[in-house]
Amino acid sequence: MGEEDTCCAFAKEIQQGSTNVVYQAHHVSRSKRGQVVGTRGGFRGCTVWLTGLSGAGKTTIGFALEEYLVSHGIPCYSLDGDNVRHGLNKNLGFSAGDREENIRRIAEVARLFADAGLVCITSFISPFAKDRQNARKIHEAAGLPFFEIFVDAPLNICESRDVKGLYKKARAGEIKGFTGIDSEYEKPESPELVLKTNVASVSECIQQVVELLQTQNIVPHSSIKDVLELFVPENKLESARAEAEMLPSVEITKLDLQWVQVLSEGWATPLTGFMREAEYLQVIHFGTLLNDGVVNLSIPIVLPISTEDKERLKGCEALALSYGGRRVAILRNPEYFEHRKEERCARIWGTTCAKHPHVKMVMESGDWLVGGDLLVLEKIKWNDGLDQYRLTPLALKQKFREMNADAVFAFQLRNPVHNGHALLMQDTRRQLLERGYKNPVLLLHPLGGWTKDDDVPLEWRMKQHAAVLEEHVLDPKSTIVAIFPSPMLYAGPTEVQWHCRARMIAGATFYIVGRDPAGMPHPETKKDLYEPTQGGKVLSMAPGLTSVEIIPFRVAAYNKLKRAMDFYDQKRHGDFDFISGTRMRKLAREGENPPDGFMAPKAWKVLTEYYQSPEKN
């Protein structure tokens, strides 16, 4: 039956119960609607009907599924029993007739959501089989998929949860006709899925539902490939190493190897290697990859090579990448294209000033770019005593699961942590707890790749961060400190999108954006290269960052009256002291202390040791 036929059949069914009502067919087809709803083309309208006892976990799963699908570009909406009774069904009670009407109305609303192209998730006890069957028929008559999912938890488990205290009242006789106590719940006989919430975690339940929706082509398989690692599988490693030794090779730089690490660990998912020309053009012109929807990727990840290497490797179907004489990866099906350096710099940095430290490296690099599929022979290690902090996105996700995190907020930094930074992180945690999250976890994620010469080296920053945690300025029990392997570009609003998206890949659901993120003074004029507030503004508007919420930066300064870092209030400007990086470095070099409350004492001691060290001087 085609779409027009299902609409006509549905129209006839409506007319049977009403007089003087004519169903009006839509001018916009479902397939056309599916092209514009969400970031992934295709009509995905359906209803996921969660049924089960009170306390079984329907609402928890419903909202978690909604969050998961939206974060993966699948438009959906969750209808919850209590919420609907506050509005649409506020005139209904709990008599048999009212219960039946409650479910009928929900089924009709769900059908409208599904017809609009959304995945509609309903969380209702819906205890009677005939009501659920009627809901199914409403969808079938409209030609829309309907998935009945039994959220199955034993009565004693539901009673032990009893978040709303309803079972206790029902047992005391204060509530009559309560499902499971003195009113029957008719278990589904042949649901599409059964979720055992007494033995499976919420994330495991979500995975089961997603797999069901994949089999029905509601959720595309490509949309849930969260992390694409590019390591050679262990069972093929020996043959890959042997192949790499036989292939012609190109020697790469330390900067290139950092990008190999970024790609291999999946930070730049869905890239399968260094960018080919089409991907490069999409990124420098659109700031996105047009890959089964809009994928935010604002910076080119490319491999420059010399003209001599390009000519030497011409015709090769694969080549090896070597660092320090050691073969680290294979690049298959290489594609060469001109490295138009001035255009690249102008588009990414907004300047071609050769005194900009990263622009300088681009200008001095090879005249050609080579893209291709990357196979990395082993995890990149730097043997600097910090490799244990270089957690991959998959490793971080596992850590978050082990900590039972229900929210992860990330803070990107390339500088030491002072108490103003800490105030932002503490305040973000407070906001998340107020919003109902039980266990928000902080990802303190310093950048570990190349940085300019006057930045504090990674080794010293990690020591300083450890001191901050040691003094409990940040809570060690709810904080993960890890190293982000990317090099720094100092490309302002363009780069901050990359920083945010990479953390999104690793499981962050919230991202704190600061003042002048990824910025620096213009090398010649010494004025801000980028307007300091625009990084946050751009990030809040950036396409393709669907699964992360941006926490905007609030300006913090030293409150002289409180003798502590505080959120700046323009009305009390005289109470605040803005301690610049230049002033902080001068104090550290001279062995003097900053005002009390600016930085944890042990953390400040680490900085003074660095600025007075032979390494710095």
Side-chain angles (χ1 to χ4, degrees), residues 515-532:
R515 180 188 179 278
D516 197 20
M520 61 170 283
H522 191 286
E524 292 180 337
T525 67
K526 306 306 178 187
K527 295 180 180 178
D528 287 330
L529 187 54
Y530 309 104
E531 201 284 324

Side-chain angles (χ1 to χ4, degrees), residues 144-191:
L144 292 163
F146 180 91
F147 306 106
E148 184 181 26
I149 297 179
F150 179 26
V151 184
D152 186 11
L155 178 60
N156 65 314
I157 297 293
C158 295
E159 280 202 71
S160 68
R161 293 170 179 168
D162 201 15
V163 178
K164 305 169 190 174
L166 300 178
Y167 281 102
K168 186 177 180 181
K169 291 180 179 179
R171 291 288 187 192
E174 297 174 26
I175 299 177
K176 299 297 183 184
F178 190 79
T179 304
I181 303 300
D182 56 354
S183 180
E184 185 183 4
Y185 176 81
E186 298 174 359
K187 292 185 178 182
E189 292 184 3
S190 54

Side-chain angles (χ1 to χ4, degrees), residues 442-510:
L442 166 65
L443 173 60
L444 188 66
H445 214 202
L447 182 138
W450 173 87
T451 55
K452 54 190 175 69
D453 291 341
D454 59 350
D455 280 348
V456 178
L458 178 64
E459 174 193 0
W460 287 93
R461 283 185 279 133
M462 292 299 288
K463 289 179 184 178
Q464 197 266 352
H465 301 341
V468 168
L469 288 170
E470 186 183 343
E471 294 213 23
H472 289 261
V473 176
L474 298 171
D475 178 16
K477 292 180 181 178
S478 61
T479 301
I480 293 176
V481 181
I483 293 172
F484 178 45
S486 175
M488 192 73 199
L489 275 72
Y490 305 95
T494 298
E495 184 178 5
V496 74
Q497 296 173 69
W498 158 242
H499 289 168
C500 178
R501 184 185 181 272
R503 280 35 179 254
M504 182 180 86
I505 291 289
T509 47
F510 297 88

Side-chain angles (χ1 to χ4, degrees), residues 535-550:
K537 293 172 183 175
V538 166
L539 196 55
S540 66
M541 298 184 288
L545 299 177
T546 52
S547 67
V548 67
E549 182 178 328
I550 308 305

Side-chain angles (χ1 to χ4, degrees), residues 202-214:
V202 173
S203 60
E204 289 169 339
C205 289
I206 298 306
Q207 194 58 43
Q208 290 179 53
V209 178
V210 169
E211 287 171 2
L212 168 67
L213 296 178
Q214 279 184 301

